[in-house]
Amino acid sequence: MRITVVGSGYVGLVAGACFAEIGHDVILVDNDFAKLAELKNGCVPIHENSLPELITTHSGTRLSFTDDLPAAVSASKAIFIAVGTPPTEDGNADLSYVEQVACGIAGAIDEYKVIVEKSTVPVYTNEWVRRVMVLNGAPHELFDVASNPEFLREGTAVRDFLFPDRIVIGADSPRAQKVLQEIYFPLTSGRYYESPTARLRSVNGKASPQLIATSAKSAELIKHASNAFLAMKISFVNAVANVCEHVGADIEQVVQGIGSDSRIGKRFLRPGIGYGGSCFPKDISAFQAVAAESGYDFRLLEEVRNINESQRKGFLRKVRRALWNLKGKRLAVLGLAFKGGTDDIRESPAINIVQSLLREGCTIAAYDPAAMERAKAVLRGTIRFAEDAYDAAHSADALLILTDWEQFTELNLDRLKKELRFPVIIDGRNLYSPDNMAKAGFVYSSIGRPDAFPMTLTHGLLRTAASFYGSGVDAVEYAS
Ligand code: NAD
């Protein structure tokens, strides 16, 4: 099928490349000329696993890029809107980009088409899109508006798109439902997975995804409710981690215990410095705002946000406990992206913490495997961008781990210790075991677990350090 995807960002670009991969002809539309020029030159403007391979394979054949929205609409049967829906000051979703695209599509409707919301939007948006299009001259009988929320995660976006848990298609007309079913047929039928030309293979023998057909409103709500639930899981585990710190329990053991219950599950029960990114913070605010407008006060979500905020503050307290005065201290920071596997720094807790530490007078050298270029836009001139983790650690008073990059779990600890001025690590992502870090000679503080100290510190110093850390008798001593 000929499909247009409007918006070539983290979602649109992945969706477009994956639609091409499963056999459709895709026109990607964007109004960012610099981005379009990069794409036309074969460059991929975002860091996302497997995306460059798909774009290289399909560009010029099943995948093309343009700024000409009317021509793309005219040539397509389905038009996916995947533009940004950032938060407004009052927490609502800013739908002006969606409206702009809806107006642009309206004038080019010359035969039946399905307009699909791929962007995350509040309930009722489909009705607004329809209204705006009719007002802008689209014949009402020549189009339907459907909702097809996207559940991909940055870092594993291509795999998530091609091997999803479920595909939700929300459409109020059977005709639109049929078009969407046809688009996803290569996945729901399993045909793509059996194809010899498929570029990605299932890693765990995952079966074809379930197709969930709903009303457009339900689909819009499914997306907001899913993200709110996931954020709630993260805040829940962080709240439990705080209790663990107070009583001297170990959150990782607690998570193993609760997550093994199949009703709960281990995923998204990862304690840390809180969630960030372009989705959870804004989607929770927007969901809360939508609920309030409809007359329901969704206070649970307020607490999810409060807990998330307090994780960052709690982490800063740990840094102060480890180093006493922060003014003039040199810190190494590992990770600037909001999570591992992506270059996205939008609402990144790591950036937020770096900015707080700068305000307190620290000097910072930071390293991130993919997000340095984007981080330079907000931090240029305020920190040193290091060559690698060891360069960041050079002469630092402590090392902070702020993003859960896979490669930060495999650091050469001896080398790191030699680079650091003091062997102090404060891990906001629980990437290491306190036992191993203490054995490696580090004073190690993490989230929801007792701090660990090496025996190389004299007993007196150890006791001072232990009480200084607020861990008292629960601090763990190790012979190194
Ligand atoms: P993004 O900012 O990376 O991309 C948006 C793109 O739309 C940009 O390239 C921009 O130039 C383009 N654009 C804006 N206005 C346009 C217009 N009038 N015409 C053509 N192009 C236009 O955003 P994103 O992260 O891809 O998110 C898009 C939507 O998908 C949001 O609603 C988001 O909440 C949702 N979503 C994001 C993720 C994620 O992980 N990023 C996951 C699921 C859903």
Side-chain angles (χ1 to χ4, degrees):
M1 192 184 295
R2 179 69 65 82
I3 293 172
T4 284
V5 179
V6 190
S8 303
Y10 286 88
V11 166
L13 200 51
V14 170
C18 290
F19 282 142
E21 168 71 3
I22 64 174
H24 300 299
D25 287 331
V26 182
I27 308 171
L28 268 163
V29 179
D30 208 287
N31 62 359
D32 178 336
F33 294 105
K35 194 178 269 188
L36 282 176
E38 270 189 79
L39 287 164
K40 284 177 183 168
N41 284 333
C43 303
V44 181
I46 57 171
H47 177 92
E48 195 55 64
N49 282 332
S50 308
L51 187 58
E53 292 90 302
L54 292 194
I55 290 185
T56 306
T57 306
H58 300 298
S59 284
T61 50
R62 285 195 214 137
L63 190 59
S64 61
F65 308 98
T66 181
D67 63 330
D68 190 344
L69 179 61
V73 170
S74 187
S76 303
K77 191 162 176 186
I79 297 99
F80 286 75
I81 304 177
V83 296
T85 49
T88 58
E89 295 247 310
D90 59 5
N92 279 292
D94 176 355
L95 298 172
S96 58
Y97 302 99
V98 174
E99 182 176 0
Q100 216 181 333
V101 174
C103 295
I105 295 171
I109 301 275
D110 46 7
E111 56 180 347
Y112 179 76
K113 311 210 181 266
V114 183
I115 318 306
V116 192
E117 301 164 349
K118 196 60 154 162
S119 301
T120 301
V121 292
V123 66
Y124 290 125
T125 302
N126 73 91
E127 291 181 4
W128 276 108
V129 169
R130 161 162 278 279
R131 196 181 303 185
V132 162
M133 286 183 56
V134 170
L135 285 175
N136 282 276
H140 69 90
E141 71 287 1
L142 284 192
F143 74 95
D144 280 308
V145 181
S147 164
N148 169 224
E150 184 49 60
F151 301 101
L152 62 76
R153 296 159 299 169
E154 288 176 23
T156 50
V158 170
R159 190 159 279 286
D160 290 347
F161 193 98
L162 293 171
F163 301 90
D165 290 334
R166 80 304 205 184
I167 293 164
V168 174
I169 50 175
D172 299 328
S173 89
R175 198 173 177 190
Q177 282 278 359
K178 198 161 164 280
V179 170
L180 280 162
Q181 282 177 16
E182 212 183 308
I183 290 171
Y184 285 106
F185 186 73
L187 299 182
T188 54
S189 65
R191 204 177 63 193
Y192 171 72
Y193 308 122
E194 287 152 18
S195 154
T197 56
R199 268 145 207 94
L200 268 81
R201 298 274 162 213
S202 166
V203 277
N204 49 8
K206 215 169 169 182
S208 304
Q210 188 189 359
L211 187 88
I212 300 174
T214 69
S215 68
K217 270 190 216 160
S218 297
E220 289 166 340
L221 271 175
I222 285 168
K223 176 62 190 176
H224 266 164
S226 298
N227 275 3
F229 191 84
L230 292 171
M232 183 181 71
K233 259 187 127 175
I234 295 172
S235 282
F236 179 82
V237 80
N238 280 332
V240 177
N242 286 322
V243 177
C244 286
E245 287 184 13
H246 283 102
V247 302
D250 181 329
I251 187 65
E252 299 298 340
Q253 294 174 359
V254 173
V255 163
Q256 195 185 3
I258 52 181
S260 302
D261 184 326
S262 60
R263 292 170 302 176
I264 299 173
K266 289 198 182 80
R267 294 175 75 189
F268 274 77
L269 285 183
R270 297 264 314 269
I273 51 176
Y275 60 78
S278 67
C279 293
F280 286 178
K282 86 166 167 63
D283 292 348
I284 276 103
S285 299
F287 194 26
Q288 212 182 345
V290 155
E293 262 168 48
S294 71
Y296 180 69
D297 182 8
F298 210 148
R299 268 174 297 172
L300 174 65
L301 298 183
E302 189 64 40
E303 201 44 35
V304 168
R305 281 158 33 151
N306 288 340
I307 295 169
N308 199 53
E309 280 297 306
S310 66
Q311 282 312 103
R312 298 171 193 194
K313 293 187 184 126
F315 185 81
L316 289 170
R317 278 197 296 277
K318 282 178 196 288
V319 181
R320 282 188 216 105
R321 278 210 311 261
L323 298 173
W324 194 17
N325 297 302
L326 292 188
K327 194 171 169 190
K329 295 282 156 65
R330 295 170 68 126
L331 298 175
V333 163
L334 297 192
L336 294 167
F338 84 92
K339 61 179 245 185
T342 180
D343 58 350
D344 198 345
I345 57 157
R346 291 177 286 184
E347 298 285 327
S348 168
I351 299 276
N352 180 281
I353 286 170
V354 164
Q355 287 171 328
S356 299
L357 291 167
L358 288 171
R359 278 195 294 275
E360 295 204 33
C362 296
T363 304
I364 292 175
Y367 172 70
D368 188 287
M372 307 256 271
E373 275 316 303
R374 289 190 194 275
K376 280 177 188 164
V378 281
L379 294 172
R380 194 189 295 276
T382 61
I383 67 169
R384 181 170 76 81
F385 290 93
E387 297 290 314
D388 57 25
Y390 309 100
D391 178 31
H394 185 67
S395 292
D397 295 305
L399 178 119
L400 318 183
I401 301 177
L402 300 184
T403 305
D404 56 346
W405 277 98
E406 178 87 29
Q407 53 191 270
F408 294 160
T409 64
E410 294 157 356
L411 296 169
N412 178 331
L413 297 179
D414 284 338
R415 193 172 157 203
L416 205 59
K417 199 154 65 139
K418 282 192 193 112
E419 293 289 353
L420 284 164
R421 188 154 168 250
F422 301 119
V424 177
I425 294 185
I426 305 147
D427 182 355
R429 298 294 184 178
N430 285 7
L431 297 190
Y432 287 90
S433 105
D435 298 20
N436 291 344
M437 290 308 261
K439 282 180 191 143
F442 287 97
V443 173
Y444 178 76
S445 180
S446 55
I447 310 290
R449 302 183 292 183
D451 295 329
F453 302 88
M455 274 297 276
T456 44
L457 291 173
T458 66
H459 192 61
L461 184 53
L462 174 65
R463 288 180 65 83
T464 315
S467 56
F468 187 46
Y469 267 70
S471 312
V473 290
D474 294 319
V476 188
E477 298 177 30
Y478 296 90
S480 65

